[in-house]
Amino acid sequence: MTIQIKALLAGFVGTVILGFIVIPILRKLKIGQVVRDDGPQEHLKKTGTPTMGGIIMLAIILVVSYVISKAYPGIWPVTLVTLGYGLIGFIDDFIKLVLKNPKGLKPAYKMLGLIVVAVAFMVYLIKIDYGTETYIPILKEYLILPEWVYIVGSVFVILACTNSLNLTDGLDGLAVSVTSIIMMFFTFVAIVLGNKEMTGFSALVTGCTIGFLLFNAYPARVFMGDTGSLALGGAFCSVAIMLKMPLILVVVAFICVIEALSVIL
C-alpha cells in the first residue's frame, strides 16, 4: 500500500473516530457557535452548534505525522507550521468560547503570532539551503529569487491564504471541502514530483478534511473554529512552498481569494 493511501485512510478513519468522541464532549461543555445577529436570519439556528472542532483534525495530523516522520522526517516542517497556526487559532477560540470574551485574541497579537510562525518556517528553509526556486505558472518555468524576495513573498502568501481560508469558513462544509480539493491537488503534484514527505502529508490532510466533512456538511454538527481554519490554511500554504509552487495558490485556492476580495469590497 502506497504512502498516500495509508496516510489518506489514517487521516479519514482517525478523524471520524475521534469526531464521535470529541463532538459530544464539546456539546456537553457548551462550547457552541456564537452567531452575529446582524447577519442572515437563517444563520441564527446555528447558535449553540459545537465549535472548536478543528482540534479533531489537528490531533490526528500530529499523531499520524509522527508515525510518518519515522520514515520521512522531512514532514516535520509543514506539520509544525500547521500545529503552530492551529495553536494560535485554539487560543483565539478558547478566549471567545471558554472565557466568554467575544473579542477573542487581540488582532495585533494574532497577526504577530502568524507572522512569527511564517518567518520561522521560511528562515528554516533558507538555513537548510532548500533553495529559492519558485514555479511561475504563466511562464511555466522555475525562477531563482533573491532570498529576501523569497522570504517576504512567501510570508505574504502564507498570511494572505491563511486569513482567506479563515474568512471562507462561514457556511457549513465550505472551508473544509475547499481545503480537501486543494490538498488533493497537492497530493497528485507531490506524487508526480516524487516528494514522499509532501505526498504523505497532503494525503493525510485530505483524509482528515473528508472525515471532518461528515460532521461539518449541512446541517453541521460541529464547526472547526479558528483552530481548524488557521491550521488548514497553514497546512496547504506550507505544502505549496515546500513544493516550490506558492503562486499556484491563486488558481488552486481561487474560492479563498474571491472570499477575501468580497470581504474587502
Side-chain angles (χ1 to χ4, degrees):
M1 190 180 294
T2 58
I3 179 65
Q4 60 267 26
I5 299 299
K6 291 180 180 178
L8 180 70
L9 291 176
F12 175 77
V13 174
T15 299
V16 172
I17 293 175
L18 194 58
F20 282 115
I21 297 173
V22 172
I23 293 174
I25 296 176
L26 294 176
R27 186 177 294 111
K28 186 176 181 180
L29 294 175
K30 296 182 178 180
I31 301 178
Q33 180 74 13
V34 178
V35 179
R36 292 168 52 180
D37 56 12
D38 59 347
Q41 291 299 305
E42 60 268 24
H43 285 188
L44 294 177
K45 62 185 179 182
K46 301 175 186 291
T47 301
T49 302
T51 188
M52 209 160 73
I55 58 176
I56 299 170
M57 292 182 287
L58 201 58
I60 298 302
I61 289 173
L62 182 59
V63 172
V64 179
S65 289
Y66 172 75
V67 175
I68 295 176
S69 69
K70 294 181 180 181
Y72 305 106
I75 198 175
W76 275 118
V78 291
T79 300
L80 292 177
V81 171
T82 304
L83 181 62
Y85 272 36
L87 180 59
I88 294 170
F90 176 81
I91 294 173
D92 189 35
D93 286 337
F94 187 85
I95 294 174
K96 289 179 183 175
L97 304 169
V98 179
L99 300 183
K100 306 301 180 182
N101 182 342
K103 294 183 179 180
L105 185 63
K106 289 184 178 180
Y109 294 161
K110 190 174 183 178
M111 183 58 69
L112 178 61
L114 298 177
I115 292 174
V116 168
V117 174
V119 171
F121 174 59
M122 296 312 304
V123 170
Y124 169 77
L125 293 184
I126 293 297
K127 289 294 183 181
I128 65 172
D129 198 24
Y130 197 72
T132 63
E133 299 90 356
T134 302
Y135 182 73
I136 310 298
I138 297 178
L139 301 178
K140 295 183 179 181
E141 62 181 41
Y142 291 86
L143 293 182
I144 298 178
L145 303 176
E147 287 186 357
W148 71 270
V149 173
Y150 179 69
I151 294 176
V152 173
S154 296
V155 168
F156 174 79
V157 168
I158 294 174
L159 295 177
C161 287
T162 301
N163 282 286
S164 295
L165 183 65
N166 193 22
L167 295 173
T168 303
D169 186 28
L171 296 176
D172 301 15
L174 181 58
V176 73
S177 60
V178 168
T179 303
S180 66
I181 295 171
I182 294 172
M183 295 308 292
M184 197 177 299
F185 166 79
F186 283 128
T187 300
F188 287 118
V189 170
I191 291 173
V192 172
L193 297 178
N195 190 322
K196 295 289 187 180
E197 286 88 353
M198 295 307 101
T199 296
F201 184 80
S202 298
L204 166 60
V205 178
T206 300
C208 289
T209 53
I210 295 174
F212 190 79
L213 187 59
L214 295 180
F215 305 105
N216 189 234
Y218 182 83
R221 285 180 280 171
V222 67
F223 295 117
M224 67 173 73
D226 281 9
T227 305
S229 60
L230 290 182
L232 293 180
F236 71 69
C237 288
S238 56
V239 167
I241 291 172
M242 291 291 285
L243 293 175
K244 302 184 181 299
M245 294 184 170
L247 297 181
I248 204 72
L249 287 171
V250 175
V251 178
V252 180
F254 183 70
I255 291 179
C256 298
V257 175
I258 292 299
E259 286 279 1
L261 290 177
S262 70
V263 171
I264 293 172
L265 290 174

